[in-house]
Amino acid sequence: MKILNSPKEAIEFRKALNGSIGFVPTMGALHEGHLSLIEKAISENDFVVVSIFVNPTQFLPGEDLDKYPRRLEADFEICKRAGVDAVFTPTAENMYTKDEVLIKAPKIKGYILEGFNRPGHFDGVLQVVNKLFNIIKPAKAYFGKKDAQQLYLIKQMVKNFFFDIEIVECETKREKDGLALSSRNVYLSDEERKRALSISKALKRAAKLSSKTKNIEEIKKEMLDILDVDELQYIAFVDRDFNYINKIKPGDTIILIAAKVGNTRLIDNIWI
Ligand code: PAF
C-alpha cells in the first residue's frame, strides 16, 4: 500500500494508474462505517484510494479541530488489511495556499440545518472535496448517508461543476444498539453514550410512526418525548433534495436530528 504525502505525489501516482479508481475521502480515525465504504469501493473498482485529512477549513473557530481524533498508524493498518492501494495524507500546508480561489456552498441549502449551526462549514467541505476530486480523479467516490446534507451538496457540486464522478451513497453503520458510528463518539462518557442512544431511538420511532401518519407535528412530538439530549439543535423533515416538507412523503423523506450530548455534537438521520 502506497502512502502519498502530498498532492504532487498523489497526482503522479494517479497518472501512472491504468484503471478505474474508487475514492473514499475521510478525516481518519477510521471505524466500521469507513470500512464499509472502503469495502464497497474495493468491490466496484480496479484501484481504491483513501484520503485521510483533517480539513481545517471545515471547522469553525472554537470547534474540535485540535482535539479531533488522529490515529494515522492504526488507520494505515485498517486500510492495508482491507486491500486499499493508496492512502493520501496531505498536510494543510500542501493543500492550501494563502489567498485561494474559494468555493461557496449554495446560499440556501448550504446554510440551513448543518450550515445554519456551522456557518461556512460546507464551504470548507466543498473546497477540499473539489481539490481531492481533481487530484485523485476517481470514477466513483463513496460517502455515507449519515452526513446527508454533505452528501446532497457534494452531488450538487458534481452536477454544477460537471465532474465526471459517480457519487455512491452508503448506508449508515450503527452499533448493535443503534448508535450511529462516528469518529466523535469517542468523546462520549458512558452516561452520555446512553443518552446519545435516544437520538437513533427517536429516529427509529419516527420511521415506524410514518407508516401510520404523515403528520410531521405528531411525529415530532413523539420524537421529543424520546430525546434525552442536552441541546437539541434541530429536528428536520426534508425531501431527498433538502427542501423542507410539511408532511411525510414515503420514499422521499429524510428526518434529521442534530444535538449536543455533554459537549459532543452528534448528527443522525433516517431515510424513509
Ligand atoms: O465526511 C468527512 O469526513 C469530511 O467532511 C470529508 C468529506 C472527508 C471532507 O473533509
Side-chain angles (χ1 to χ4, degrees):
M1 186 180 80
K2 269 274 205 229
I3 309 290
L4 308 163
N5 290 308
S6 70
K8 191 165 174 282
E9 278 175 43
I11 289 167
E12 273 159 21
F13 173 83
R14 171 66 187 103
K15 268 194 197 146
L17 282 189
N18 216 342
S20 67
I21 293 194
F23 178 43
V24 184
T26 80
M27 298 208 299
L30 302 181
H31 51 63
E32 286 295 321
H34 297 111
L35 194 58
S36 72
L37 270 55
I38 292 170
E39 281 166 355
K40 195 164 166 63
I42 287 175
S43 72
E44 295 181 353
N45 299 274
D46 299 327
F47 303 99
V48 169
V49 176
V50 173
S51 65
I52 298 178
F53 178 53
V54 183
N55 171 38
T57 65
Q58 68 188 77
F59 288 80
L60 270 62
E63 287 190 344
D64 56 344
L65 172 62
D66 291 338
K67 73 166 196 178
Y68 195 84
R70 288 163 171 86
R71 292 197 296 256
L72 211 48
E73 288 308 317
D75 290 349
F76 286 159
E77 207 39 53
I78 291 171
C79 290
K80 205 161 144 191
R81 247 185 283 132
V84 167
D85 297 282
V87 178
F88 176 41
T89 56
T91 61
E93 289 69 33
N94 59 33
M95 280 295 268
Y96 288 104
T97 53
K98 271 218 167 76
D99 187 18
E100 292 228 332
V101 173
L102 296 174
I103 306 240
K104 285 294 278 178
K107 282 200 185 85
I108 299 171
K109 291 177 186 172
Y111 286 86
I112 56 171
L113 303 170
E114 283 307 281
F116 179 78
N117 285 281
R118 307 180 70 190
H121 165 69
F122 287 125
D123 298 354
V125 169
L126 297 178
Q127 183 84 7
V128 79
V129 172
N130 198 294
K131 285 172 189 269
L132 292 168
F133 281 178
N134 281 314
I135 294 166
I136 307 296
K137 296 193 185 356
K140 297 184 182 190
Y142 296 78
F143 293 89
K145 284 181 168 182
K146 178 169 167 290
D147 293 302
Q149 194 174 1
Q150 164 174 287
L151 174 60
Y152 165 78
L153 291 170
I154 287 169
K155 284 199 299 190
Q156 206 53 27
M157 180 179 77
V158 162
K159 231 189 253 171
N160 293 164
F161 290 179
F162 303 100
F163 277 108
D164 186 14
I165 298 174
E166 183 188 333
I167 302 300
V168 183
E169 305 181 341
C170 303
E171 292 306 324
T172 301
K173 279 273 166 190
R174 295 179 183 281
E175 303 276 7
K176 275 204 184 75
D177 57 10
L179 184 72
L181 295 190
S182 161
S183 303
R184 289 189 169 99
N185 289 351
V186 295
Y187 302 150
L188 297 167
S189 69
D190 290 349
E191 183 273 337
E192 288 167 349
R193 196 202 170 285
K194 271 188 204 135
R195 289 192 296 114
L197 209 51
S198 68
I199 298 175
S200 56
K201 278 191 181 147
L203 289 167
K204 215 168 151 197
R205 177 79 187 124
K208 203 161 175 210
L209 266 178
S210 70
S211 61
K212 289 192 207 120
T213 174
K214 305 290 166 259
N215 185 321
I216 281 174
E217 286 315 312
E218 218 175 289
I219 295 174
K220 200 168 160 181
K221 195 172 162 301
E222 292 231 8
M223 292 173 78
L224 288 169
D225 284 345
I226 293 170
L227 282 169
D228 184 9
V229 297
D230 295 306
E231 181 191 332
L232 178 61
Q233 295 190 334
Y234 59 80
I235 294 181
F237 295 73
V238 297
D239 66 15
R240 299 280 199 265
D241 288 325
F242 271 80
N243 300 301
Y244 287 110
I245 51 174
N246 49 28
K247 65 176 197 289
I248 299 288
K249 296 198 271 177
D252 189 19
T253 297
I254 308 175
I255 309 177
L256 309 113
I257 296 178
K260 273 188 165 179
V261 180
N263 288 322
T264 307
R265 187 172 185 278
L266 298 169
I267 59 171
D268 197 358
N269 61 65
I270 201 154
W271 298 43
I272 50 181

